Amino acid sequence: MILAPLNMSYLFKSALLVNLDPSRVERCDLLIADGKIIERGPTLEAREDEEIINLTGKIVMPGMTCAHTHLYSALARGMPAPPRTPTNFTEILELVWWRLDRALDEETIYWSAMAGAMDAARAGTTCLFDHHASPSHIRGSLQIVREAIEKVGLRAVLCYEVTDRGGSDERDRGLEENRSFLKWTKQSASSSPALFRGLVGAHASFTLNDESLSRCAELMREFDAGLHIHAAEDMCDVNDARDRHGLGVVERLAKHGALNNQTILAHGVHLSDEDIEIARAAGVWFAHNPRSNMNNQVGYAPVEKFGERVVLGTDGIGADMFEEARSAFFKGRDEGLNFGADAWLGVLSNNHRLASQTFGEDIGSLKPGSAADLIVLDYQSPTPLVSENLAWHFAFGINSAVVESVMVNGRFVIRDRRHALDNVYADSRKASEKLWAKLRSM
Ligand SMILES: [Zn+2]
């Protein structure tokens, strides 16, 4: 069984169309063809070649975008415990994630990406900004990830994590992997549809020396690409930049020319006001990952100071943006943040703005001309759902369990809860047993 064919035309009848920012709920018909929304109106007439889908009682909204994730960690769920319990953030990296990513080979990179992308699709996430690491198999790894995401049917922005932690040879191969993927995306962008883009991936300031950072910046300039990097996730990053370089984390990135308006700074938990100011002036995106921050006990990010370009990521804890946004809302409440539920809908919309900027097309609005990246929800609410209370339904009701169908670029990836690939989890479990056996022997 293969995915639904391309070039199908669909007429969605009588759906409740939901726009996140501004909050708007409206019963409308939607015509979809050639990967785009062609027309929107109260009653559209079907033409002969269109499949009519009656969506009375269903919600249609833009597919979610995850602004920071690590598909390579998809097979980590329930994995063997590390040799000892980490006591701080650097030990979490050394004892958990840097052992896991080193254990990945061609096969387990592929099944991690398949499982992670399938989880994303089932949660209604149609676009992923992934940050990949597999130091034992660097060359070609992004194409393996790409192939898996393509099979699942999603849109994605990929990069390889450049770092000094494995020495200069691994660092060079990481740079080369970014270069080769960016080159590929530039070539394939001319052919339609192009569902993949690249960024320059880098781990974090504290694992990059000056030369490594400068070479990342060179790549950014060469391909007019942004940097995707963890910034001030933990105080260790801030202390390292100050002690070894006498600079703030962002100040150091700026000094090396590694900031631009396509750049994603993940976490930003401990960024100083000065660093935030420099980053905002450069127009970067701040990816807030509340569940990951809570899990790693690194602190609460100064979300209010991030301004207009704050986006949400999962940092590899699945790709369920309903759940991430809800956690962001509750954690914000707990921290006394002046963000109502509607502000988080605005942030989810920022994720769409990031995707739109990266792909150079309108993603995340249900207007004629925008990409047909949509999800259909079967949400049974005990109370009315209207424009004015939409955000509160997101905070207290709507969740990924109600995602019924998923469409990317005009093609059904999941239809009525069924994906064409029905064996992904069984195959992923086999791959994870292999990966875990390797971890136990390390
Ligand atoms: Zn991360």
Side-chain angles (χ1 to χ4, degrees):
M1 194 166 161
I2 53 162
L3 291 174
L6 292 167
N7 306 324
M8 286 286 294
S9 302
Y10 299 98
L11 181 61
F12 287 3
K13 291 294 286 181
S14 306
L16 211 51
L17 303 190
V18 158
N19 188 65
L20 300 181
D21 185 24
S23 300
R24 196 166 154 219
V25 177
E26 188 185 23
R27 195 170 307 284
C28 253
D29 293 353
L30 218 49
L31 174 61
I32 292 152
D34 300 323
K36 303 244 183 257
I37 293 169
I38 303 294
E39 219 180 323
R40 169 185 176 137
T43 41
L44 300 180
E45 292 301 319
R47 292 183 310 221
E48 252 179 37
D49 56 343
E50 288 154 9
E51 182 185 342
I52 302 169
I53 303 177
N54 185 351
L55 293 176
T56 306
K58 304 288 170 74
I59 288 174
V60 172
M61 63 170 275
M64 295 285 199
T65 289
C66 178
H68 177 71
T69 191
H70 304 278
L71 292 176
Y72 74 76
S73 70
L75 303 185
R77 196 184 303 170
M79 72 180 176
R84 61 186 172 83
T85 306
T87 57
N88 57 41
F89 177 71
T90 42
E91 286 190 357
I92 291 173
L93 293 179
E94 285 162 7
L95 295 170
V96 180
W97 302 114
W98 292 353
R99 287 176 72 244
L100 177 88
D101 65 14
R102 197 161 287 280
L104 291 167
D105 61 17
E106 201 169 345
E107 186 189 0
T108 47
I109 293 168
Y110 178 76
W111 286 107
S112 299
M114 281 294 271
M118 188 60 87
D119 272 353
R122 285 157 53 100
T125 297
T126 50
C127 177
L128 296 166
F129 282 72
D130 189 58
H131 196 270
H132 178 70
S134 52
S136 303
H137 190 98
I138 299 173
R139 192 168 170 205
S141 60
L142 293 182
Q143 287 296 347
I144 299 173
V145 175
R146 196 260 321 150
E147 191 190 332
I149 296 171
E150 191 166 83
K151 278 205 175 130
V152 173
L154 304 183
R155 187 187 289 276
V157 182
L158 307 184
C159 68
Y160 188 89
E161 174 202 283
V162 174
T163 174
D164 298 338
R165 71 170 141 109
S168 60
D169 184 48
E170 273 182 27
R171 188 264 327 256
D172 290 351
R173 278 185 279 144
L175 283 161
E176 197 44 45
E177 185 59 12
N178 280 304
R179 172 192 298 280
S180 115
F181 192 75
L182 282 161
K183 210 167 157 186
W184 178 85
T185 56
K186 293 283 173 198
Q187 284 159 356
S188 71
S190 56
S191 65
S192 173
L195 295 183
F196 292 90
R197 292 288 186 275
L199 289 169
V200 176
H203 175 245
S205 169
F206 75 99
T207 70
L208 292 161
N209 64 29
D210 285 346
E211 187 202 341
S212 306
L213 210 45
S214 291
R215 287 182 56 191
C216 287
E218 272 169 36
L219 262 188
M220 291 167 69
R221 284 190 292 278
E222 185 181 339
F223 289 94
D224 185 26
L227 185 70
H228 190 171
I229 188 170
H230 300 104
E233 177 174 3
D234 182 79
M235 273 308 287
C236 71
D237 198 20
V238 177
N239 294 339
D240 175 86
R242 187 195 55 218
D243 297 346
R244 286 203 303 156
H245 310 282
L247 298 166
V249 171
V250 176
E251 200 183 357
R252 181 166 181 244
L253 297 178
K255 183 186 158 198
H256 289 276
L259 293 179
N260 61 23
N261 70 356
Q262 302 171 70
T263 290
I264 300 172
L265 302 182
H267 302 280
V269 175
H270 299 283
L271 288 177
S272 66
D273 289 352
E274 294 74 27
D275 263 354
I276 292 173
E277 205 174 304
I278 297 167
R280 286 184 64 173
V284 308
W285 299 88
F286 297 90
H288 179 43
N289 302 268
R291 288 185 300 162
S292 167
N293 294 343
M294 287 188 272
N295 183 48
N296 289 333
Q297 301 178 317
V298 291
Y300 188 61
V303 184
E304 270 175 310
K305 296 179 181 172
F306 290 161
E308 297 291 302
R309 282 162 88 87
V310 56
V311 287
L312 273 175
T314 57
D315 204 23
I317 306 178
D320 184 338
M321 302 312 293
F322 293 96
E323 198 173 334
E324 197 67 45
R326 178 169 291 118
S327 301
F329 168 71
F330 284 119
K331 180 62 184 165
R333 300 287 294 167
D334 190 40
E335 291 285 335
L337 182 76
N338 189 25
F339 264 40
D342 53 337
W344 291 109
L345 287 193
V347 174
L348 285 172
S349 271
N350 288 346
N351 283 33
H352 290 137
R353 292 182 184 105
L354 166 63
S356 300
Q357 178 190 309
T358 309
F359 282 90
E361 61 177 313
D362 182 18
I363 294 170
S365 77
L366 300 180
K367 293 181 197 144
S370 74
D373 291 12
L374 311 169
I375 54 180
V376 179
L377 310 180
D378 181 18
Y379 174 57
Q380 302 300 323
S381 172
T383 58
L385 169 66
V386 292
S387 301
E388 292 71 28
N389 69 13
L390 176 67
W392 299 102
H393 282 273
F394 269 83
F396 297 111
I398 299 174
N399 61 67
S400 64
V402 303
V403 173
E404 192 176 68
S405 297
V406 176
M407 174 178 270
V408 178
N409 197 38
R411 187 165 67 146
F412 274 111
V413 171
I414 291 176
R415 188 155 177 187
D416 299 329
R417 298 185 182 272
R418 287 206 61 219
H419 191 285
L421 303 172
D422 49 14
N423 228 16
V424 169
Y425 291 106
D427 290 334
S428 300
R429 278 193 293 276
K430 279 186 212 142
S432 60
E433 278 169 31
K434 180 186 162 188
L435 178 66
W436 294 5
K438 203 164 173 183
L439 276 171
R440 285 191 192 96
S441 69
M442 280 169 82

